[in-house]
């Protein structure tokens, strides 16, 4: 793993989340040992955190909301951009 700075901004239909906790599951272990191949961003698939920013068309979330997500890679990061889907 290499520490790098990356742009932190959300676009249309997205939310920028500051990751507070990241889940670890068997699939993550399989990625780490090379059983399954994965490109960057990091393989972790779920996290919980706080919304920092939302895209201009997002109405269901706002900065400060606490959220959790699954099935979106990249939760090893300090911040991650995820789809802001309504349930």
């Amino acid at each position: 793993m290499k520490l790098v700075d990356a742009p932190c901004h959300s676009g249309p239909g997205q939310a920028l989340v500051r990751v507070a906790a990241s889940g670890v599951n068997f699939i993550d272990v399989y990625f780490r040992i090379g059983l399954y191949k994965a490109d960057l961003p990091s393989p972790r698939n779920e996290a919980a955190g706080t919304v920092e920013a939302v895209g201009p068309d997002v109405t269901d979330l706002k900065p400060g909301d606490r959220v959790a997500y699954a099935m979106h890679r990249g939760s090893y990061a300090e911040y991650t951009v995820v789809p802001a889907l309504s349930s």
Side-chain angles (χ1 to χ4, degrees):
M1 186 182 312
K2 183 168 59 169
L3 182 62
V4 297
D5 288 327
C8 282
H9 54 81
S10 56
Q14 298 176 327
L16 174 66
V17 177
R18 181 177 9 172
V19 176
S22 183
V24 180
N25 297 293
F26 282 112
I27 190 72
D28 301 306
V29 175
Y30 297 154
F31 282 127
R32 294 290 299 255
I33 65 173
L35 185 60
Y36 298 125
K37 300 298 179 206
D39 297 325
L40 293 175
S42 64
R44 286 245 174 104
N45 289 309
E46 60 188 43
T50 305
V51 174
E52 293 289 312
V54 296
D57 59 342
V58 176
T59 58
D60 293 344
L61 295 172
K62 64 184 180 308
D65 284 350
R66 294 179 356 168
V67 296
Y69 69 85
M71 304 311 295
H72 186 80
R73 290 182 21 201
S75 66
Y76 269 158
E78 184 178 358
Y79 293 90
T80 186
V81 176
V82 297
L85 301 176
S86 299
S87 56

